[in-house]
Amino acid sequence: TQLLEQSPQFLSIQEGENLTVYCNSSSVFSSLQWYRQEPGEGPVLLVTVVTGGEVKKLKRLTFQFGDARKDSSLHITAAQPGDTGLYLCAGAMDSNYQLIWGAGTKLIIKP
Amino acid sequence: DSGVTQTPKHLITATGQRVTLRCSPRSGDLSVYWYQQSLDQGLQFLIQYYNGEERAKGNILERFSAQQFPDLHSELNLSSLELGDSALYFCASSFHGAGSTDTQYFGPGTRLTVL
């Protein structure tokens, strides 16, 4: 059973378009992290959100943590080819040391 | 560069064989994590060590084992290899080893191909 569901699994759009990817769960997390992984490399942390309702912005990327701390979204404005990659969300529960990982959204931005 | 090093970068071997993957964490990090990533899939957590001791175990097969040494480097041993073990194996390190806001820094991975 996947505790963190990411959607869509795959997204291919044109440069300049906006997009949103989602990370959903029925479980409550104490924090949630978003990573981006480029082909042949390890994931790199983009952001950590810890407070329900929290919104963080990183240039054209906007991350939101749901009020109930069960879900999160990543919105990209004016996507660029450099945004191409696998976007992974990972949640932390107070009762566990390990992160719970989603399966990822594979994003392709076409020039 | 995350500061986490993994060797070897590529490994090609045959079914039934045994291999050892090595990871050196970032300077100062006490915790090491091992993950498996099959083609176009997310990360599957295998095991975590903190300061030499096993802290958490995920979906790690009995044919796989790991350890963290006093100098904090870690090795993942894969034995009786099967075709399905072909994957990218990532090591990550963090300072605290506790999930809440701890950042995991990932190495470049070892690509294992079992023929």
Side-chain angles (χ1 to χ4, degrees), chain B residues 26-38:
Chain B
R26 285 191 331 150
S27 177
D29 282 356
L30 299 175
S31 196
V32 169
Y33 310 76
W34 285 99
Y35 293 91
Q36 180 191 59
Q37 186 177 42
S38 300

Side-chain angles (χ1 to χ4, degrees), chain A residues 2 30-33 35 37 40-45 48 50 86 88 92 94 96-99 101-104 106, chain B residues 9 33 35 37 40-43 45 48 55-58 88 90 97-108 111:
Chain A
Q2 188 75 276
S30 57
S31 68
L32 199 134
Q33 299 178 343
Y35 289 77
Q37 182 181 15
E41 298 182 11
V44 175
L45 179 68
T48 301
V50 296
L86 179 68
L88 296 157
D94 286 334
N96 287 323
Y97 290 114
Q98 64 189 79
L99 289 174
W101 291 82
K106 188 170 184 179
Chain B
K9 191 164 178 64
Y33 310 76
Y35 293 91
Q37 186 177 42
D40 288 337
Q41 304 241 335
L43 295 171
F45 169 70
Q48 178 197 1
R55 174 162 274 189
K57 204 175 234 187
L88 268 170
F90 286 104
S100 187
T101 56
D102 207 24
T103 298
Q104 293 187 23
Y105 295 88
F106 283 78
R111 180 173 293 281

Side-chain angles (χ1 to χ4, degrees), chain A residues 13-61:
Chain A
I13 62 172
Q14 291 294 136
E15 181 177 3
E17 294 183 16
N18 301 332
L19 67 107
T20 302
V21 297
Y22 300 92
C23 178
N24 295 310
S25 177
S26 58
S27 301
V28 176
F29 293 97
S30 57
S31 68
L32 199 134
Q33 299 178 343
W34 285 91
Y35 289 77
R36 183 171 74 206
Q37 182 181 15
E38 298 186 22
E41 298 182 11
V44 175
L45 179 68
L46 295 174
V47 77
T48 301
V49 285
V50 296
T51 305
E54 181 177 3
V55 177
K56 280 192 174 179
K57 291 192 175 182
L58 190 67
K59 296 182 181 178
R60 294 176 294 99
L61 277 59

